Amino acid sequence: MDIKVNVREAKGDCSVVDLSGEIDVYTSPKLKDAVSNLIDRGVYNLVINLEKVRYIDSTGLGVLIGGLKRVREHGGSVNLVCTNPQIKKIFDITGLVMIFGIFDSEDAALKALV
């Protein structure tokens, strides 16, 4: 079980965080570090791409919520790209669809930020 985290700049002052693998108690610190580093550098508009994520637990959800809370303090936002029905269902069940913008494509997620 591992996670790959790739951060890249997008248009405007946005960054995209591509994730692949599983986000759980063991791997979520890697995601938290990546998101925290972006916020510390003044990047407050993020797209987190979950297309290649196979599993996410409550720790991973907590990291995403913590990142959203921090960027909102600076007027930013976090949009998610999620096409995996199992992952999407977790966001539906937990009600997180109400606080995150969840999109089927990176382009749509970026357009909603700008």
Side-chain angles (χ1 to χ4, degrees), residues 4 8 11 16 24 26 30 34-35 38 42 59 61 65 71-73 84 87-88 91 97 103 106 111 113:
K4 290 184 182 171
R8 55 191 164 88
K11 60 185 174 185
V16 177
D24 59 19
Y26 301 107
K30 204 169 179 180
V35 171
L38 287 168
T59 310
L61 295 175
I65 293 166
V71 298
R72 281 189 173 170
E73 291 171 0
N84 181 331
I87 302 295
K88 216 171 200 175
F91 284 92
V97 291
F103 298 88
E106 184 179 310
K111 281 181 186 171
L113 283 178

Side-chain angles (χ1 to χ4, degrees), residues 25 38 41 53 63-64 75 79 81 106 111-112:
V25 69
L38 287 168
R41 288 187 0 225
V53 170
V63 169
L64 294 176
N79 284 341
V81 178
E106 184 179 310
K111 281 181 186 171

Side-chain angles (χ1 to χ4, degrees), residues 10-84:
K11 60 185 174 185
D13 60 347
C14 305
S15 284
V16 177
V17 181
D18 293 310
L19 302 174
S20 63
E22 299 183 1
I23 307 171
D24 59 19
V25 69
Y26 301 107
T27 60
S28 59
K30 204 169 179 180
L31 171 60
K32 185 176 181 180
D33 288 347
V35 171
S36 293
N37 286 338
L38 287 168
I39 295 169
D40 291 344
R41 288 187 0 225
V43 179
Y44 305 125
N45 290 309
L46 304 174
V47 169
I48 299 180
N49 190 334
L50 302 172
E51 284 184 300
K52 295 181 181 173
V53 170
R54 296 184 310 267
Y55 173 82
I56 186 167
D57 71 0
S58 60
T59 310
L61 295 175
V63 169
L64 294 176
I65 293 166
L68 178 63
K69 185 177 175 184
R70 282 194 63 200
V71 298
R72 281 189 173 170
E73 291 171 0
H74 300 279
S77 189
V78 175
N79 284 341
L80 306 175
V81 178
C82 182
T83 54
N84 181 331

